[in-house]
Amino acid sequence: MRRAFTFDDVALVPQFNNIPSRTEPILESWLTKNRKIAMPLVPANMDTVMGDELASVIIAHGAVPIFHRFTPLEEQRRWVKKFGDNTFISSGIQRIEETQELLELGAAGVCIDVAHGHSDRMFKFIEELKRTHPGKDVIAGNVCTAMAYHDLVNAGADAVKVGVGPGAACTTRIVTGFGVPQFTAIYECAKVAEKLRVPLIADGGIRGSRDVVLALAAGASTVMIGKLFALTHESAAQKRDSKSSPTGFDAKYRGQASEDFQNEFYGALKEKTVAEGVDFWSPVTGSAEALINTLLGGVRSGMTYGGARSIKELQRKAEFVEVTGNYMHESRPRSH
C-alpha cells in the first residue's frame, strides 16, 4: 500500500537565496501547452464563482477566465461574444455540437469538465474536438493519477485538471471512498507532466497562499480555486446581507454535485444517484483584487525562500519533507 499526502502533511525546505527582493520573482506560467498567462491563479469554472465581474478582473491580471457549463446555451453564446478569445467555455461529454458552436464563435478553448475524467467517453470527446478544431485548446479533467493524466494527454488534451475530492464543497471521498490526497495527486502527475510537457492544473484544496506554493512547487503550472474566489464581491455567488460578516454580506458556495445545485438545475437528484457535494453560506471576504494580491504576495515570498525567480525554478529546487500534525500547530501564531 502506497503512502499519500495532503498539503498539511508536507513542508518545503528553504533553499539558498540570491534574490534581493520579494518583488523580483516572475509569476507567469502556462495554462495550456499553447497559452501562457501572467499569473498562476485560475478561478474555478463553477456557477457560484465565475461571472462577468470576476472574469473582467481575471483578464485585467493577464489570465483567462473559464466559464462554467451549467447554463443555457444562449448564455454561453453571450459570454463568448462578450469575451471572445480571452475566455474558455466548459462542457460535459454529451453535446459536442454545442461545444463546437461556441468554439466557432471565438472561444479560445474548452474545459471538458466531468467528475471522473479517466474514461473512454472522455478520450473520444477530446479526439473529436481536436479533429474538428485543431487550433483550439482543450483542458480535460478531473483526474488524480499519473496514468489518467498520461491517457488524457495521449487523447489530445492541452492541459489536464488534477483533483478528485479535495474541494471545500465536495463530498466525493466521503460518499465513495475514492480520491487521492491532493499533494500526492499533483506530485505524481507532475512527474509525467515534466516528460510530456503538458501543463497540470491543480484543482481543489486551496485555503491560502501556502497551499498555492506547495501545489506549484509539486509541479502544477496553475492552481484552480473555488471557495476563496466565490467569497469575493465580484463572484457569481448569490449574496445576502449579514450583520455578522465584516463586509456586511454572506455568499453562497456550492458544489456542482450538491443536492442544492442539482435541484435547481435538473429539478431533482438524478435517479439512482446521491449528492456528492454540499452548499453553505460564508462571509464575503472582500474584493477579488485583494484576494489575488494576497495570494500572489505569498507566492512571491515563498519563491524567495525557495531561491526561485520563476515557477519552473521553484519546481526544480523544491525539496519536501513529511511533517506531523504538530507542524501546523507549531507554525500558527500563539498569542495565548
Side-chain angles (χ1 to χ4, degrees):
M1 185 182 295
R2 293 180 296 148
R3 300 188 72 186
F5 303 101
T6 69
F7 291 131
D8 284 352
D9 298 322
V10 297
L12 279 159
V13 178
Q15 304 296 315
F16 172 75
N17 179 38
N18 62 351
I19 303 170
S21 170
R22 294 181 181 183
T23 63
E24 278 198 21
I26 299 170
L27 300 183
E28 65 181 16
S29 192
W30 294 91
L31 176 65
T32 71
K33 67 180 184 182
N34 307 305
R35 179 173 290 259
K36 185 177 282 189
I37 56 178
M39 67 171 183
L41 307 179
V42 182
N45 51 330
M46 300 172 69
D47 77 312
T48 52
V49 177
M50 184 48 65
D52 286 32
E53 285 188 75
L54 183 55
S56 297
V57 174
I58 297 305
I59 291 171
H61 277 270
V64 177
I66 304 176
F67 196 45
H68 65 90
R69 55 180 274 214
F70 297 104
T71 189
L73 179 59
E74 188 53 45
E75 173 65 9
Q76 296 195 61
R77 291 190 186 110
R78 181 199 67 79
W79 177 275
V80 174
K81 289 175 182 176
K82 179 172 182 177
F83 295 107
D85 62 5
N86 285 321
T87 190
F88 275 58
I89 48 97
S90 295
S91 77
I93 50 175
Q94 294 180 334
R95 295 187 292 272
I96 195 168
E97 296 82 6
E98 292 184 3
T99 302
Q100 290 167 327
E101 177 189 335
L102 294 168
L103 293 175
E104 288 288 342
L105 277 176
V110 58
C111 177
I112 310 171
D113 192 30
V114 296
H116 183 25
H118 194 200
S119 72
D120 183 63
R121 292 180 68 191
M122 171 67 89
F123 302 156
K124 291 176 179 177
F125 199 93
I126 296 171
E127 289 163 359
E128 181 61 14
L129 277 184
K130 296 304 288 187
R131 185 187 69 80
T132 61
H133 292 78
K136 299 292 185 177
D137 282 341
V138 171
I139 299 170
N142 278 32
V143 298
C144 63
T145 67
M147 180 180 290
Y149 168 90
H150 182 277
D151 289 348
L152 291 183
V153 172
N154 274 358
D158 301 297
V160 176
K161 204 142 67 81
V162 173
V164 173
C170 184
T171 60
T172 292
R173 296 176 183 174
I174 304 301
V175 172
T176 71
F178 281 86
V180 175
Q182 185 67 346
F183 176 83
T184 291
I186 297 166
Y187 189 78
E188 293 189 347
C189 290
K191 292 177 184 177
V192 183
E194 186 176 8
K195 298 174 183 176
L196 299 184
R197 304 180 68 82
V198 172
L200 181 164
I201 302 170
D203 179 16
I206 301 299
R207 300 156 299 180
S209 60
R210 176 183 186 270
D211 297 334
V212 176
V213 174
L214 288 170
L216 294 173
S221 293
T222 57
V223 177
M224 182 170 274
I225 302 172
K227 179 186 173 184
L228 297 184
F229 275 109
L231 300 184
T232 64
H233 288 298
E234 294 87 349
S235 79
Q238 181 183 348
K239 311 291 197 306
R240 69 182 184 189
D241 293 336
S242 171
K243 294 181 179 179
S244 60
S245 170
T247 60
F249 299 96
D250 287 339
K252 185 179 186 178
Y253 181 56
R254 63 185 181 184
Q256 311 287 198
S258 67
E259 186 170 0
D260 180 81
F261 174 81
Q262 293 195 50
N263 283 338
E264 181 178 322
F265 191 75
Y266 298 111
L269 283 173
K270 294 180 182 178
E271 188 179 359
K272 297 182 180 180
T273 69
V274 295
E276 291 183 29
V278 297
D279 66 279
F280 54 83
W281 291 88
S282 196
V284 170
T285 56
S287 69
E289 185 78 19
L291 172 64
I292 291 169
N293 290 338
T294 297
L295 293 176
L296 295 184
V299 172
R300 289 190 187 95
S301 184
M303 289 170 71
T304 62
Y305 280 98
R309 282 188 167 85
S310 68
I311 291 173
K312 283 295 183 185
E313 188 174 12
L314 175 68
Q315 294 167 349
R316 181 170 58 83
K317 293 183 175 179
E319 178 186 352
F320 295 99
V321 291
E322 180 183 355
V323 297
T324 68
N326 291 327
Y327 174 84
M328 293 306 295
H329 176 72
E330 181 184 62
S331 303
R332 293 189 177 97
R334 297 177 296 280
S335 57
H336 299 291

